[in-house]
């Protein structure tokens, strides 16, 4: 019995070690992709001589001993987003806002099913806003503002039933606001300002009864309906 318990415990330890090793390899791939780290945050701190859970910007869960949060915001980093980031399967919080990340969002990020908070704001990301962002069932905050995203707002964002904060401002998004977005009944903050959105603002926006902040200026909306809806939102 003792031998069996020892063997089982050994397997558990081995699996736990293996999993955190996977997480570490993901961050080392990210570090390798970074071409500019002016403050040497990662160059000096992200070292295999210390546990990945002690690295700057990293938080690990006490239960699973896996990376649950990654906050690299405001570090003046220049990089692309490596596809390996999608292997951080326990990640609930991802913030790389206020840096200089370039390129499009790799589809491998669609595997981050535990995400609750996602901030890519104030970078130089481009391409279409991916449809798969609408399949993060636990997502509460989504910040994509201040990038170069184009195309339309994906109708799949209407699947985000827990979404409270959505900021797509200062991009190059065109087309109309999809009606599906107004199924996000938990929305409290919605910013779509400084894009190229057009047409009428759907009256369904009045169904967002928890909404207390709305930014739609800097687009091409038309008609009296726009001012009526904005007045309604700001006085509820």
């Amino acid at each position: 019995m003792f031998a069996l318990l020892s063997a089982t415990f050994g397997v558990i330890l081995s699996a736990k070690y293996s999993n955190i090793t996977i997480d570490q390899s993901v961050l080392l791939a990210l570090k390798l992709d970074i071409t500019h780290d002016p403050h040497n945050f990662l160059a000096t701190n992200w070292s295999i001589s210390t546990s990945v859970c002690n690295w700057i910007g990293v938080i690990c869960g006490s239960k699973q001993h896996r990376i649950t949060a990654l906050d690299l915001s405001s570090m003046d980093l220049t990089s692309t987003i490596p596809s390996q980031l999608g292997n951080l399967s326990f990640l609930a919080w991802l913030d790389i806002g206020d840096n200089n990340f370039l390129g499009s969002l790799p589809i491998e990020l669609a595997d981050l099913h535990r995400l609750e908070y996602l901030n890519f704001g104030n970078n130089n990301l481009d391409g279409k806003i991916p449809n798969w962002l609408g399949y993060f069932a636990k997502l509460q905050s989504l910040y994509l503002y201040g990038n170069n995203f184009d195309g339309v707002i994906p109708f799949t964002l209407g699947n985000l039933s827990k979404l409270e904060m959505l900021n797509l401002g200062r991009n190059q998004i065109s087309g109309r606001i999809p009606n599906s977005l107004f199924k996000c009944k938990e929305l409290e903050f919605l910013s779509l300002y400084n894009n190229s959105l057009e047409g009428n603002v759907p009256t369904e926006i009045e169904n967002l009864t928890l909404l207390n902040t709305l930014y739609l200026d800097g687009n091409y909306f038309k008609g009296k309906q726009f001012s009526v809806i904005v007045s309604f939102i700001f006085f509820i």
Side-chain angles (χ1 to χ4, degrees):
M1 178 65 72
F2 178 78
L4 180 61
L5 287 174
S6 297
T8 303
F9 185 66
V11 168
I12 293 172
L13 280 181
S14 175
K16 187 175 286 189
Y17 177 78
S18 174
N19 287 336
I20 197 64
T21 301
I22 291 172
D23 288 357
Q24 176 181 279
S25 67
V26 169
L27 296 196
L28 290 176
L30 172 59
K31 179 181 178 180
L32 194 62
D33 274 3
I34 290 173
T35 57
H36 190 56
D37 178 11
H39 310 293
N40 290 320
F41 285 129
L42 308 190
T44 57
N45 186 268
W46 283 18
S47 167
I48 58 173
S49 62
T50 58
S51 167
V52 64
C53 295
N54 293 327
W55 291 2
I56 189 170
V58 175
I59 295 177
C60 292
S62 55
K63 240 183 199 180
Q64 300 88 0
H65 197 60
R66 300 289 302 276
I67 295 176
T68 56
L70 181 62
D71 185 354
L72 304 181
S73 59
S74 304
M75 291 187 177
D76 296 321
L77 303 174
T78 298
S79 179
T80 56
I81 299 178
S83 59
Q84 292 95 324
L85 212 58
N87 291 327
L88 296 179
S89 54
F90 280 80
L91 200 64
W93 181 290
L94 176 57
D95 189 346
I96 61 169
D98 299 301
N99 283 292
N100 187 33
F101 279 84
L102 312 164
S104 57
L105 301 180
I107 191 172
E108 288 80 4
L109 296 185
D111 292 330
L112 301 177
H113 301 300
R114 299 173 188 261
L115 277 180
E116 299 175 9
Y117 180 97
L118 180 58
N119 185 359
F120 290 153
N122 279 339
N123 280 283
N124 279 297
L125 298 166
D126 56 31
K128 305 287 188 291
I129 297 176
N131 286 332
W132 46 257
L133 283 174
Y135 297 105
F136 293 146
K138 298 183 178 182
L139 197 63
Q140 298 173 22
S141 300
L142 176 59
Y143 300 103
L144 301 179
Y145 64 91
N147 282 285
N148 300 303
F149 291 113
D150 57 20
V152 299
I153 299 174
F155 73 93
T156 54
L157 294 189
N159 297 329
L160 301 175
S161 61
K162 296 184 182 298
L163 194 65
E164 299 174 1
M165 315 288 286
L166 176 61
N167 192 339
L168 306 180
R170 291 192 292 116
N171 280 288
Q172 300 169 28
I173 305 168
S174 57
R176 296 172 178 265
I177 303 176
N179 286 336
S180 61
L181 194 60
F182 308 125
K183 295 193 302 182
C184 301
K185 301 294 188 180
E186 300 299 315
L187 265 181
E188 299 176 10
F189 178 98
L190 175 61
S191 175
L192 305 175
Y193 80 105
N194 281 16
N195 279 287
S196 296
L197 295 165
E198 59 188 9
N200 293 318
V201 179
T203 56
E204 287 84 356
I205 198 170
E206 296 175 2
N207 294 332
L208 301 179
T209 56
L210 299 181
L211 195 65
N212 56 57
T213 305
L214 174 67
Y215 296 109
L216 298 178
D217 54 306
N219 286 286
Y220 301 105
F221 298 121
K222 61 183 181 183
K224 293 181 180 178
Q225 176 198 40
F226 173 60
S227 58
V228 170
I229 288 173
V230 171
S231 297
F232 173 81
I233 292 298
F234 277 107
F235 284 98
I236 58 174

